[in-house]
Structures are given as structure tokens and as C-alpha cells.
Amino acid sequence: MRLFPIAATALMLALPAYAETQPATISVTGEGRVEIAPDMATVNLGVTTEADTAAAALKANSEALAAALAKLKEAGIADRDIQTSGLSVNPRYDYPNDGSQPKLNGYVAANMVMVRVRDLSVLGTMLDGAVSDGANTLNGIAFSLQETDATMDEARRRAVTDATHKAALYAEAAGVKLGRIASITEQMNYGGPQPMMMAEARMAKDAGSVPVASGELTVASTVSVVFEIAQ
């Protein structure tokens, strides 16, 4: 029974000694960015049609969309890069000014497709052809990279270099010597690194009959690095 208090006393004496062996550290955050021109665009376009009946509206819509899809394929867009993103047929009502019940006045059919354009030089021509031959709805263009691994790796290198530079500066200012790296933690956005659109844009060369500004993307990495202070 007397061994317990003796063991407890020994543990209490050991804890401060252990704490004193922990090295002092400098914690910094490094950021790395790589600006790069995009090489792919995602376009959401489609057809909206109106008719007296739902069947007539859908039939007209299908014919117009088929013509638009044919133009996409003529521009070199592969089947795997065209995906239906929305299809709807809804009644259309007139709303009298006298407050009476709305009256059915036909139907509206809409069919949207998401198109990946892997050759930006045909983007303008593709848009012009699709709109000229059926598509009458365009919901925007997003630019991206087909492959991000190499660019992301360079951003990570720059982030670690930035963190090392900051830590060395702090150590010099504090009059201490920077030691080894104790830990590196990458800070990630949900879903992984995402390219971000820059505010400044430039006109894409040979964009066809529709002017398109592709701009630049910024691929970014942020790391938290802990350096020991050399004793």
C-alpha cells in the first residue's frame, strides 16, 4: 500500500523534467500560387420552346436541340463531353389584371446540356454554330484545367518555400536559430484544391465568331509549418 504514494510522487517529479525537454517552436503559414491559362471550358446551353400542347412543345424542343447538338459535334465535341443537365415541360399561364383565375395558355419545354470544350480555339465557333442552329439559352461559361496535379504540386512547393522564408525571418528578428521542421499540415478547401478565376482576363486567340475571354486561373495551396528553435 505504501508503494502508491511513492509512485505518485515520482511521477509528479518526472512531469516537469519531461516538459522542460520540449523544444520551443515557431509556427507559420505559407501560401503558394500559380497563375496559369485555362485549357478547358464548361458551357451550359440549351433550347427553350413554347407550344399549345406539351407534346408539341417537347417535339419542337427536341428538333431544335438535335440541330444544336449536331453543330457541337461538327466543332469536334465528343459524345462523352455532352451531358443533359436539365429537362422540363411546364404549363404557361396568363394572369388577368382583374384578379380572376389564371388561364392556361400553352406549354414551355426546356432542355439544357452541359458541354465540356477541351480545345478553346473552337469555343467561339462552337457557340456561334449552336446558337445559330437551335440553342437559344446560354447559362454561362466556366474555365478550368484538364489536369491540375503538376500545377498543384508547384503551388505546394511555393507554399513550403514561403513558410520557410517567414520562419527564417521571425527567427532572425527574435535572435534565435531556426531548427528542423517538426510538422507540415496542408490546409485544404472542401473537395480539394480548386482553381480560382482571376479578375483580369485576356481575349482567347482564334476564338471564332463569338469573342471569348478565357482569363487566367490561380491554383493555390496553403500549409501550416512548425519549426523547432535550435538550442
Side-chain angles (χ1 to χ4, degrees), residues 41-46 69 72 77-86 111-117:
T42 301
V43 182
N44 283 286
L45 57 81
L69 292 180
L72 294 180
I77 307 300
D79 289 339
R80 69 189 180 101
D81 290 326
I82 304 173
Q83 184 179 52
T84 299
S85 59
N111 196 343
M112 300 295 299
V113 294
M114 181 180 69
V115 183
R116 286 187 302 228
V117 184

Side-chain angles (χ1 to χ4, degrees), residues 6-79:
I6 294 175
T9 302
L11 180 60
M12 293 177 63
L13 293 174
L15 286 176
Y18 174 77
E20 291 176 0
T21 64
Q22 298 304 298
T25 60
I26 297 176
S27 299
V28 293
T29 298
E31 296 182 352
R33 293 174 177 267
V34 178
E35 286 74 31
I36 187 171
D39 60 8
M40 184 171 70
T42 301
V43 182
N44 283 286
L45 57 81
V47 177
T48 300
T49 53
E50 300 180 3
D52 292 337
T53 66
L58 186 58
K59 182 176 184 297
N61 188 284
S62 298
E63 292 173 351
L65 185 61
L69 292 180
K71 283 296 183 180
L72 294 180
K73 294 177 181 179
E74 286 181 12
I77 307 300
D79 289 339

Side-chain angles (χ1 to χ4, degrees), residues 113-137:
V113 294
M114 181 180 69
V115 183
R116 286 187 302 228
V117 184
R118 300 178 187 272
D119 180 3
L120 295 185
S121 67
V122 305
L123 178 57
T125 302
M126 183 215 74
L127 291 173
D128 182 63
V131 171
S132 298
D133 279 24
N136 57 11
T137 304

Side-chain angles (χ1 to χ4, degrees), residues 89-175:
V89 179
N90 295 301
R92 181 186 62 200
Y93 292 96
D94 284 340
Y95 294 87
N97 295 328
D98 59 8
S100 59
Q101 291 294 323
K103 296 180 180 179
L104 180 65
N105 189 25
Y107 291 83
V108 178
N111 196 343
M112 300 295 299
V113 294
M114 181 180 69
V115 183
R116 286 187 302 228
V117 184
R118 300 178 187 272
D119 180 3
L120 295 185
S121 67
V122 305
L123 178 57
T125 302
M126 183 215 74
L127 291 173
D128 182 63
V131 171
S132 298
D133 279 24
N136 57 11
T137 304
L138 178 62
N139 287 342
I141 302 174
F143 293 96
S144 59
L145 297 172
Q146 297 184 52
E147 299 291 340
T148 61
D149 290 349
T151 307
M152 193 67 218
D153 286 346
E154 178 59 26
R156 291 181 175 118
R157 292 187 188 96
R158 294 184 183 185
V160 173
T161 299
D162 181 52
T164 303
H165 170 74
K166 290 177 180 177
L169 181 64
Y170 292 143
E172 179 185 359

